[in-house]
Amino acid sequence: MRPAAATATATAAALRLRAAAASLSPPLAALLPHRRSSLVLPPLRRFCSPAPPHASAAPDSQPPPRLPSPIMDAQFELFRAQLDDSSTLRDRIRAVVAEIESASRVATAALLLVHQPVPLADVLVKAKAQVEVIKGLYARLAEVLKECPGQYYRYHGDWRTETQMAVSMLAFTHWLETGGLLMHAEAQEKLGLSSGEFGLDVEDYLTGLCFMSNEFPRFVVNRVTAGDYDCPKRVLGFLTDLHASFRMLNLRNDFLRKKFDGMKYDLRRVEEVYYDVKIRGLVPVELKQETQS
């Protein structure tokens, strides 16, 4: 039977029952609507779409919001305080390092006069004056680092480059005075550093020596132009020994290794200048006698 026909039949039956109920007693008539609804409603419900599963859910059935954990908050609050303290300390370090970099530039600019016809004594006096300033600045930096004991290498990168340039300037000044190499302990003493909590890192010292070698090719050419034909031999002997000493080290493929690889080009340029001086007969007489013997 079709749904429309079934509905019509059920409706007709309900009407007949309602008419019959009018002649019955009130208690029995009161029961007939319940019976009528059982006859009519099931077919109607079959064609109605089901209600949404959560349509009748009460608003109070939503889960309460999850509150942050007190332990987690305490941990990240501690992290925030540590990072703020570290940032403040780093700003103080960088302020001192900026002064070190400025003093090193002044000293390096004074040493550049060695390539000009200026008395060497006047050049060294200006450079040494800045060395004392740099030494005092490193003392200030050491005082700042005392506030974070055991964390030298955490902040070391903030003054690494400036220290390398300072060592380069000191080593070149030392060679101009003595003709020899500035040792690691001597460099620490000139900078006012110690071998304890705040010392001169070995890689910074070696990198500074590589920077120093970059000055020799230009220095040799200018000295030969000024008539100092003995200079190429002295520089060549020094750079040869320094290069041979570096080859004793097992250097990784990092910045220091790249700077050391550049030293061989400085050595080659000095060799070329010495070769030109020698074949042109400009070598001093005593040097010719040493070569013949």
Side-chain angles (χ1 to χ4, degrees), residues 98-127:
E99 297 185 41
I100 294 175
E101 192 263 342
S102 178
S104 297
R105 281 204 314 267
V106 174
T108 303
L111 281 180
L112 290 177
L113 295 176
V114 77
H115 302 292
Q116 304 296 328
V118 179
L120 181 60
D122 297 342
V123 175
L124 295 179
V125 167
K126 294 180 180 180

Side-chain angles (χ1 to χ4, degrees), residues 27-89:
L28 181 61
L31 297 175
L32 289 178
H34 174 72
R35 186 176 180 182
R36 176 181 62 82
S37 62
S38 63
L39 294 174
V40 177
L41 293 178
L44 294 177
R45 285 199 302 264
R46 187 175 60 178
F47 300 101
C48 294
S49 59
H54 300 289
S56 61
D60 299 338
S61 63
Q62 296 294 332
R66 187 177 181 86
L67 299 177
S69 172
I71 300 178
M72 186 183 301
D73 288 348
Q75 173 182 261
F76 279 87
E77 182 66 23
L78 177 62
F79 290 164
R80 184 192 63 80
Q82 291 176 351
L83 292 176
D84 289 344
D85 293 342
S86 177
S87 178
T88 302
L89 182 62

Side-chain angles (χ1 to χ4, degrees), residues 159-228:
W159 66 82
R160 176 187 289 120
T161 302
E162 288 74 16
T163 301
Q164 294 169 357
M165 298 306 298
V167 170
S168 174
M169 180 269 299
L170 291 174
F172 190 48
T173 303
H174 183 79
W175 185 88
L176 291 174
E177 289 182 308
T178 64
L181 176 66
L182 176 69
M183 308 304 290
H184 180 266
E186 296 174 335
Q188 281 196 138
E189 182 180 358
K190 289 180 179 295
L191 293 176
L193 305 178
S194 62
S195 57
E197 182 68 22
F198 184 24
L200 176 60
D201 186 74
V202 174
E203 291 191 7
D204 292 344
Y205 167 74
L206 296 175
T207 305
L209 296 183
C210 294
F211 284 137
M212 174 199 63
S213 71
N214 301 151
E215 295 292 332
F216 282 113
R218 180 187 177 191
F219 177 73
V220 167
V221 171
N222 290 328
R223 293 307 301 168
V224 170
T225 303
D228 185 3

